[in-house]
Amino acid sequence: MDRLETLRGEEDDRSVSTDEGVLLDQLEEVESRLLAFGQELGGEPDDVTDLPFTEEAGLDHMPEPLYVRHDTEMLNQVTSWLLQDQHIGLVSPYGTGKSAFREIVLRDLAKHDDFVVTHLDNPRETTARSLYQTILEAAYSAGYSVNAGHYSQVRNGIPWATAEAKQAVHEVVGRVREDGKTLLLVVDEIEVLTADLLSPLQVAGDAGVRLFLTGTPEGKRRVAEIRGTLDSRLRYYENIDPFSPDDIAEYVARSLAYFRDEPYTGQAPDLFTREAIEDIHERTEGNPREVRIECRELFTRAAFVWYRTGQDIDRIQVTPELRHRRFGMGY
């Protein structure tokens, strides 16, 4: 009995013996079919989030280079600004890869000896003191600390008063820079920053912290309107390029190779036809987030075709027509 017959047999058993509820039974059945399809494709998924096209920015298993490697102009420009010790603003609409690039910056520069990197986790709710604390904690983790005797009250190495925390940032960042290193603060979603936080950000920048701000065009306008002096210090790169059809094909091929734990060597994507790639590009206009969602939907539909028809995995193809078909649970 092959894997598909085994799966169907197990589901027949569950249909007789389970009484967990229609939705819970359905969840279990759909999950088992998707995982079985992934196994047939050569992967070893333990969970549906291990399947291709399910990655999210900020998760450890996300293959970030899938999203921004196509825009070499952006990569080259931002890299040069980092080397030139500039404050950087990366501005692009939602879904174009800013969060993915933020993860690359945090991961890659954290490994670089010349950088001390930290990230503002929740800019919408960050206060001036918690901003300074984020900077100080990153410096401490890198081996830099302040002289506690200079401050009236210190908790866990951080001056309690906001004014003293600001003073401590000046002290510790000076030591970082004396060693020829850059303390880089990455802040995402500048469009939601409170007006009260823009001034402390500028204070940190003036103290020697390098700022890497990302957000939408509205965020850039907001910074300029509320804190023009901060805006004038930033070097902006605007609009990450969307995916071309070839970029989508590479994204699909890389995703499948990553899923199978195989190297990507320029191979064409299996499973997805060229017509499907072109259709995805037309529907999404190359927006990387929308591309991922569309690919995930088509992958799910392909899994149902495989399950219902019992065809060999090599005969299953994602085509433009697939997205218009409706599928029941039966076979």
Side-chain angles (χ1 to χ4, degrees), residues 126-141:
T126 299
T127 64
R129 185 185 180 279
S130 58
L131 168 66
Y132 298 142
Q133 178 174 337
T134 296
I135 295 168
L136 292 170
E137 287 176 344
Y140 294 168
S141 295

Side-chain angles (χ1 to χ4, degrees), residues 239-266:
N239 296 322
I240 300 174
D241 284 344
F243 281 167
S244 69
D246 286 343
D247 295 327
I248 295 174
E250 182 176 337
Y251 166 70
V252 170
R254 286 183 177 274
S255 295
L256 292 171
Y258 182 85
F259 171 65
R260 295 172 177 138
D261 198 24
E262 298 173 349
Y264 173 75
T265 57

Side-chain angles (χ1 to χ4, degrees), residues 29-247:
E29 290 184 14
V30 170
E31 180 181 29
S32 66
R33 295 176 188 186
L34 290 174
L35 294 179
F37 183 59
Q39 291 165 4
E40 283 294 304
L41 286 171
E44 298 181 357
D46 295 322
D47 184 274
V48 291
T49 59
D50 295 329
L51 295 170
F53 319 119
T54 59
E55 67 275 357
E56 293 283 355
L59 298 183
D60 290 341
H61 67 272
M62 178 185 175
E64 299 98 340
L66 295 176
Y67 287 92
V68 295
R69 63 184 307 119
H70 67 289
D71 194 340
T72 55
E73 180 180 350
M74 184 271 291
L75 291 172
N76 290 337
Q77 183 63 81
V78 170
T79 300
S80 69
W81 285 338
L82 286 168
L83 292 172
Q84 295 165 13
D85 203 29
Q86 300 288 319
H87 298 301
I88 299 169
L90 177 61
V91 174
S92 198
Y94 289 114
T96 52
K98 298 186 302 297
S99 295
F101 190 59
R102 175 201 67 205
E103 294 304 305
I104 292 172
V105 169
L106 293 173
R107 182 197 63 202
D108 289 0
L109 293 186
K111 302 174 185 176
H112 198 293
D113 291 340
D114 291 340
F115 287 89
V116 176
V117 185
T118 190
H119 173 235
L120 210 56
D121 289 326
N122 191 353
R124 189 191 298 269
E125 299 180 6
T126 299
T127 64
R129 185 185 180 279
S130 58
L131 168 66
Y132 298 142
Q133 178 174 337
T134 296
I135 295 168
L136 292 170
E137 287 176 344
Y140 294 168
S141 295
Y144 298 91
S145 61
V146 297
N147 187 334
H150 293 170
Y151 307 97
S152 59
Q153 188 176 10
V154 177
R155 295 185 182 179
N156 299 320
I158 310 295
W160 182 249
T162 299
E164 291 194 342
K166 178 172 69 173
Q167 180 184 341
V169 166
H170 280 269
E171 179 184 341
V172 78
V173 173
R175 294 179 182 172
V176 172
R177 296 187 72 83
E178 285 174 2
D179 283 349
K181 297 186 178 184
T182 297
L183 200 160
L184 185 72
L185 174 64
V186 180
V187 182
D188 201 9
E189 297 184 313
I190 57 175
E191 60 275 8
V192 304
L193 288 177
T194 64
D196 291 341
L197 193 60
L198 293 176
S199 177
L201 273 175
Q202 183 175 328
V203 167
D206 291 344
V209 175
R210 296 300 91 176
L211 305 175
F212 193 119
L213 311 184
T214 71
T216 63
E218 174 58 31
K220 179 178 183 290
R221 287 192 293 271
R222 190 164 179 275
V223 171
E225 291 171 1
I226 298 174
R227 199 74 185 180
T229 51
L230 174 60
D231 177 74
S232 67
R233 288 164 167 76
L234 291 162
R235 301 296 302 274
Y236 283 103
Y237 188 92
E238 301 189 49
N239 296 322
I240 300 174
D241 284 344
F243 281 167
S244 69
D246 286 343
D247 295 327

